[in-house]
Amino acid sequence: MIIPYTKLMGTPVFEMKTQTKAGYVMDIIIKKSDISIYGLVVRTSILPFAKMKVITETDILEIGHDGVIIQDEDAITNFDDSVRLKEAYHHKLHGINQHVRSKSGKNLGKVFDYLVRATDLSITKIYVKSLVSERIIPTSAITKIEGKHITVNNDYDTLDVKTSAIEAEMV
């Protein structure tokens, strides 16, 4: 199953042990080594000033359109308890709005969505929007991630959504 980032945000986190709702997904943290989900940022309370907590990728049993399943509430920890997730979050390896550029330096726009493969938590594609176009870029085209900046192979590895839709209608 493939899940868009935008559909994952706000979904409930359920505990398998007690079969109760433990919180809500607020963001993802990206592992830049293999472009997958490193962890989830969750809110365990509906109070607006509730402290954000995290779930590591190893504690996620299942992920779907209806929510995330973890074993029990012990899987939800404070940021301070997971140094690697705290460091990745601090280096802005989370969420959307990353600036995307080609190797040649052309600005392609900002990320507005991801596609996440539920079976292995890998990010398969990024959706990028600029003022004049929208593009779908496979993660295989990504050459470097540095915080909120993503570098991809030159433009031939990108797919312009509007142009592709027009070409598909012509066939």
Side-chain angles (χ1 to χ4, degrees):
M1 176 181 348
I2 303 291
I3 303 164
Y5 167 88
T6 51
K7 298 287 184 200
L8 186 59
M9 295 306 98
T11 59
V13 176
F14 297 103
E15 293 181 44
M16 182 178 248
K17 189 175 182 180
T18 61
Q19 297 188 358
T20 59
K21 196 180 300 179
Y24 297 91
V25 177
M26 302 308 292
D27 207 349
I28 65 171
I29 301 173
I30 301 167
K31 186 188 315 181
K32 69 179 186 176
S33 62
D34 63 355
I35 310 171
S36 64
I37 292 180
Y38 215 3
L40 299 174
V41 178
V42 297
R43 178 173 285 174
T44 57
S45 170
I46 59 171
L47 298 174
F49 299 108
K51 193 172 184 181
M52 296 292 192
K53 297 189 176 197
V54 293
I55 301 170
T56 65
E57 82 275 13
T58 56
D59 289 323
I60 298 170
L61 299 179
E62 190 175 321
I63 192 169
H65 292 287
D66 298 329
V68 175
I69 299 174
I70 58 174
Q71 185 64 37
D72 56 32
E73 68 180 18
D74 293 338
I76 301 174
T77 62
N78 292 321
F79 266 103
D80 295 334
D81 296 339
S82 180
V83 175
R84 60 189 173 101
L85 289 180
K86 183 178 179 180
E87 185 176 304
Y89 196 80
H90 176 71
H91 285 107
K92 310 232 185 278
L93 295 170
H94 62 90
I96 54 175
N97 288 325
Q98 291 88 347
H99 297 276
V100 180
R101 292 185 179 253
S102 66
K103 273 185 176 179
S104 61
K106 181 180 177 186
N107 184 19
L108 300 176
K110 288 185 176 184
V111 175
F112 70 92
D113 208 350
Y114 297 110
L115 286 184
V116 177
R117 187 180 309 126
T119 53
D120 61 358
L121 302 180
S122 64
I123 297 171
T124 59
K125 294 183 180 8
I126 60 174
Y127 288 79
V128 179
K129 184 185 282 189
S130 69
L131 289 174
V132 294
S133 68
E134 292 180 7
R135 300 172 189 267
I136 301 171
I137 302 174
T139 54
S140 60
I142 295 175
T143 58
K144 184 169 41 169
I145 297 177
E146 293 178 326
K148 287 286 186 187
H149 300 281
I150 296 175
T151 304
V152 298
N153 289 331
N154 287 330
D155 301 335
Y156 60 85
D157 280 337
T158 61
L159 174 66
D160 190 321
V161 175
K162 292 176 185 172
T163 303
S164 298
I166 292 168
E167 289 172 359
E169 288 176 7
M170 297 172 91
V171 174

